[in-house]
């Protein structure tokens, strides 16, 4: 039985043992391959993760710069235009357009600048017309005088009306002065004519006085001669 067991089952047992040994070795090889594959996968995953992190950081920086430029560029433009407007340059225009909040702000600033430009041009035109003597001038764009700007329009209108009334009164006064001047001129002419007539009368009076004086002198001469004749007669009477 021992011999049979040795000759029959021992080889089979050895084969089974060798088979299990081979299976164990193959399992160890496969496990090692799996470990190596896992290590490679982990290394690749780490590399991919690092690449993704780097790409994410780059994209985030790019997006941040783009958003920053998208905000700072229009803000800088609006700042420059508002600074120019504060210095009296109403020709500067904001070119930025968008449907976001900055676009709405840019639209409002454009409208404000346009309103300022229209109001200043309108007031300038009215003052120029007043300088030409046209006091019937009126605003060409009254619709832009909204809110508190309406008081400016009312003030300009009141100024034009006041200037018109003042000049009308000056014209009336000038007409009155002209009429008075004509009356003074007529009176002066009449006075001059009267003075001329009085001068003629004085000359006639002087001539009359001169003639009377001559007559008085002649009469005095005759009186002296008569007196002398009378004296001579008296002397002759006494001699007799």
């Amino acid at each position: 039985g021992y011999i049979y067991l040795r000759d029959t089952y021992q080889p089979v047992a050895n084969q089974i043992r060798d088979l299990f040994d081979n299976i164990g070795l193959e399992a160890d090889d496969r496990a090692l391959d799996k470990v190596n594959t896992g290590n490679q996968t982990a290394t690749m995953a780490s590399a991919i993760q690092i690449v993704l992190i780097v790409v994410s950081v780059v994209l985030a920086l790019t997006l941040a710069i783009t958003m920053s430029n998208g905000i700072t560029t229009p803000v800088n433009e609006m700042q420059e235009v508002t600074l120019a407007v504060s210095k009296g340059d109403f020709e500067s225009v904001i070119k930025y357009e968008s449907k976001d909040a900055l676009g709405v702000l840019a639209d409002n600033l454009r409208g404000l600048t346009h309103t300022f430009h229209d109001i200043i041009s309108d007031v300038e035109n009215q003052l120029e017309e007043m300088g030409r003597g046209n006091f019937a001038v009126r605003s060409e764009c009254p619709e832009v005088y909204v809110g508190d700007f309406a008081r400016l329009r009312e003030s300009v209108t009141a100024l034009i009306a006041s200037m018109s009334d003042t000049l009308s009164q000056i014209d009336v006064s000038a007409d009155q002065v002209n009429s008075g001047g004509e009356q003074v001129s007529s009176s002066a002419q009449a006075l001059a004519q009267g003075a001329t007539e009085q001068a003629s009368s004085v000359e006639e009076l002087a001539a009359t006085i001169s003639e009377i004086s001559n007559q008085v002198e002649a009469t005095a001469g005759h009186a002296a001669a008569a007196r002398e004749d009378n004296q001579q007669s008296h002397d002759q009477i006494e001699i007799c």
Side-chain angles (χ1 to χ4, degrees):
Y2 172 75
I3 294 172
Y4 180 77
L5 179 61
R6 186 190 60 187
D7 294 335
T8 302
Y9 292 102
Q10 186 68 35
V12 174
N14 290 335
Q15 290 179 358
I16 292 172
R17 185 189 60 192
D18 292 337
L19 179 61
F20 278 110
D21 290 337
N22 291 331
I23 291 172
L25 291 175
E26 186 176 357
D28 290 338
D29 292 338
R30 288 185 178 182
L32 183 59
D33 291 337
K34 293 292 183 181
V35 170
N36 292 332
T37 302
N39 291 332
Q40 292 177 356
T41 302
T43 302
M44 184 177 295
S46 298
I48 293 173
Q49 185 177 7
I50 293 173
V51 171
L52 290 176
I53 292 173
V54 172
V55 171
S56 298
V57 170
V58 172
L59 289 177
L61 290 175
T62 302
L63 181 61
I65 292 173
T66 302
M67 292 180 63
S68 176
N69 291 333
I71 295 174
T72 57
T73 299
V75 168
N76 289 335
E77 181 185 4
M78 286 184 278
Q79 182 179 5
E80 292 176 357
V81 172
T82 52
L83 180 61
V85 170
S86 67
K87 294 180 179 179
D89 180 13
F90 293 97
E91 300 298 330
S92 299
V93 178
I94 299 175
K95 299 179 180 179
Y96 178 78
E97 293 182 358
S98 178
K99 295 182 179 179
D100 55 9
L102 287 176
V104 174
L105 177 60
D107 291 338
N108 292 334
L109 288 176
R110 268 193 297 270
L112 178 62
T113 303
H114 185 68
T115 300
F116 280 150
H117 180 271
D118 289 345
I119 290 176
I120 291 176
S121 298
D122 188 56
V123 172
E124 181 181 7
N125 176 67
Q126 294 182 70
L127 294 177
E128 288 179 352
E129 290 297 322
M130 288 174 59
R132 297 188 182 99
N134 178 18
F135 291 93
V137 63
R138 292 294 181 267
S139 173
E140 295 181 352
C141 50
E143 69 278 358
V144 300
Y145 293 88
V146 295
D148 291 338
F149 290 120
R151 291 184 293 178
L152 174 61
R153 177 170 175 262
E154 293 173 357
S155 298
V156 173
T157 303
L159 174 63
I160 294 174
S162 177
M163 290 291 292
S164 178
D165 292 340
T166 301
L167 290 178
S168 297
Q169 294 176 3
I170 291 175
D171 289 339
V172 172
S173 299
D175 291 338
Q176 292 176 351
V177 170
N178 187 27
S179 177
E182 291 178 354
Q183 293 177 358
V184 170
S185 177
S186 299
S187 299
Q189 290 177 358
L191 181 62
Q193 184 176 359
T196 302
E197 293 176 354
Q198 289 180 358
S200 299
S201 299
V202 169
E203 289 179 355
E204 292 178 357
L205 179 60
T208 302
I209 292 173
S210 178
E211 183 178 356
I212 292 172
S213 177
N214 290 332
Q215 291 178 357
V216 169
E217 288 179 356
T219 302
H222 291 308
R227 183 173 180 273
E228 185 179 354
D229 291 340
N230 186 24
Q231 185 66 34
Q232 289 176 1
S233 297
H234 181 72
D235 292 340
Q236 289 177 358
I237 290 172
E238 286 182 352
I239 293 173
C240 293

